[in-house]
Amino acid sequence: MRIDPSDLATFLAIARHRSFRAAATELGVSASALSHALRNIEERLDLRLINRTTRSVALTEAGERLFSRISPAFRDIDDALEDLNNFRGKPAGTLRFNAARQSTQLVLLPIVTRFLKSFPDVNVEIVINDALIDTVAAGFDAGVRFGETIAADMIAVPIGPRHRFAVVGSPGYFKAHKPPITPHDLKGMPCIRYRFTSGVIYRWEFERGGIEVDIDVEGPLTLNDQDLMVDAALDGAGLAFVFEAQVDELIAKRKLVRVLADWCPAYPGFFLYYSSRRQLPAALRAFVDFARGGGRRPIDNASAAV
């Protein structure tokens, strides 16, 4: 029985993505070729590694064991290859980020687009996922989340400005409902609720003068996308609790009316986080420095002296 490193790389790609189509895109082959390659690997091992149906891809117990054992070794190989970037004089390679939709729109994507102009030898892939995942096990270089949701063993770097939430409703909504003065006034008012990917309904969080209040709002509409919540608020479906940056222009144009602004303090904002247990790839190191500089390429001593 002979299993080549390329065979293991094939298995790892499928195991990470839990999708033949996504793994095939990463490896630059067709999904059918990938399925055939996996079948050959399983026949040589005389073990089924992955259960697949038309709707799902899942690791068997043997597949989970193999995935957990060889993933660290392949990360070490990736780190060793990344070391070679230091000899090129400029970062190169591919960075994979995992982030929620709102953090991508508000912070990550604007920084990435400017970064790519300064570092043309780097490619970036952003995968939108609102669920909290193990970025290392899933094959990502880094992720973007609020600081309070980041595991303690990760290195977290603040990026972008501080953020506030805003409670907003349409002018028509307030013709039928009295504006709330305190968060407790929200009880009984039609609100647009947000459901996390985990299934949990978000309780609206407020704070003023050191007093913290969280409200389990009620309403006829529940969504899992804040952009859709804004659209629903514009249509008068209820009050929405969204990022201030999403609705600033709509408030200025009087398409939405803001309430409870004095109960919505600024938060530290988003953090770029990555594993503290692996050597930082050259491209990621460049991105971290770029993001810390506010999305501007740092000026080195040689450039500054010119």
Side-chain angles (χ1 to χ4, degrees):
M1 175 184 66
R2 177 176 173 79
I3 301 296
D4 295 325
S6 60
D7 295 327
L8 296 178
T10 296
F11 164 73
L12 277 176
I14 301 170
R16 278 200 310 270
H17 291 286
R18 300 296 200 273
S19 163
F20 280 88
R21 186 179 299 278
T25 299
E26 176 187 327
L27 298 176
V29 298
S30 67
S32 60
L34 206 60
S35 178
H36 180 71
L38 177 65
R39 192 177 305 113
N40 286 338
I41 296 170
E42 290 177 327
E43 288 176 356
R44 276 176 280 164
L45 291 173
D46 195 23
L47 282 171
R48 178 175 285 274
L49 300 176
I50 294 178
N51 289 322
R52 53 269 202 196
T53 68
T54 56
R55 294 186 177 181
S56 66
V57 174
L59 297 181
T60 64
E61 184 178 356
E64 289 280 7
R65 177 76 61 84
L66 180 62
F67 181 63
S68 65
R69 291 292 302 274
I70 67 175
S71 291
F74 271 78
R75 285 197 295 270
D76 287 343
I77 293 172
D78 288 339
D79 286 344
L81 293 174
E82 281 291 343
D83 276 346
L84 299 179
N85 276 331
N86 295 325
F87 295 95
R88 291 194 180 99
K90 55 184 178 180
T94 298
L95 288 176
R96 300 186 72 239
F97 293 112
N98 176 271
R101 181 177 301 280
Q102 248 50 57
S103 60
T104 299
Q105 288 180 331
L106 297 176
V107 176
L108 181 58
L109 190 58
I111 295 176
V112 165
T113 54
R114 294 193 296 271
F115 174 79
L116 292 175
K117 293 176 183 177
S118 296
F119 296 90
D121 293 325
V122 178
N123 298 318
V124 173
E125 178 184 0
I126 300 174
V127 175
I128 302 299
N129 190 336
D130 291 330
L132 295 176
I133 66 169
D134 184 335
T135 55
V136 176
F140 293 99
D141 294 287
V144 176
R145 289 290 188 275
F146 271 124
E148 62 189 26
T149 64
I150 298 173
D153 61 346
M154 291 285 179
I155 296 175
V157 177
I159 60 172
R162 292 168 66 85
H163 285 279
R164 295 178 68 197
F165 282 92
V167 180
V168 294
S170 70
Y173 176 91
F174 288 111
K175 289 180 180 179
H177 301 89
K178 184 178 179 180
I181 304 302
T182 75
H184 296 289
D185 295 335
L186 292 170
K187 292 185 178 294
M189 297 187 70
C191 296
I192 303 164
R193 304 195 302 168
Y194 179 83
R195 186 186 296 278
F196 289 108
T197 304
S198 64
V200 174
I201 296 290
Y202 175 64
R203 296 172 66 94
W204 293 13
E205 299 172 286
F206 301 94
E207 189 270 327
R208 189 178 73 174
I211 300 174
E212 297 182 359
V213 179
D214 66 301
I215 304 294
D216 186 12
V217 298
E218 301 175 356
L221 180 61
T222 301
L223 299 167
N224 69 344
D225 184 281
Q226 288 205 3
D227 289 334
L228 292 178
M229 293 174 70
V230 174
D231 291 340
L234 287 168
D235 286 340
L239 295 178
F241 193 56
V242 295
F243 283 107
E244 181 183 64
Q246 290 179 265
V247 292
D248 271 344
E249 290 187 11
L250 294 171
I251 294 171
K253 294 177 180 178
R254 300 183 180 182
K255 293 183 177 181
L256 287 175
V257 177
R258 183 174 189 175
V259 293
L260 299 175
D262 55 337
W263 281 92
C264 297
Y267 292 93
F270 297 103
F271 288 76
L272 176 76
Y273 68 97
Y274 50 90
S275 174
S276 60
R277 300 190 301 272
R278 61 177 300 191
Q279 185 172 340
L280 203 63
L284 181 57
R285 186 184 304 113
F287 186 84
V288 170
D289 291 341
F290 188 86
R292 276 176 169 159
R296 296 179 299 274
R297 184 169 187 167
I299 299 175
D300 57 35
N301 291 335
S303 298
V306 175

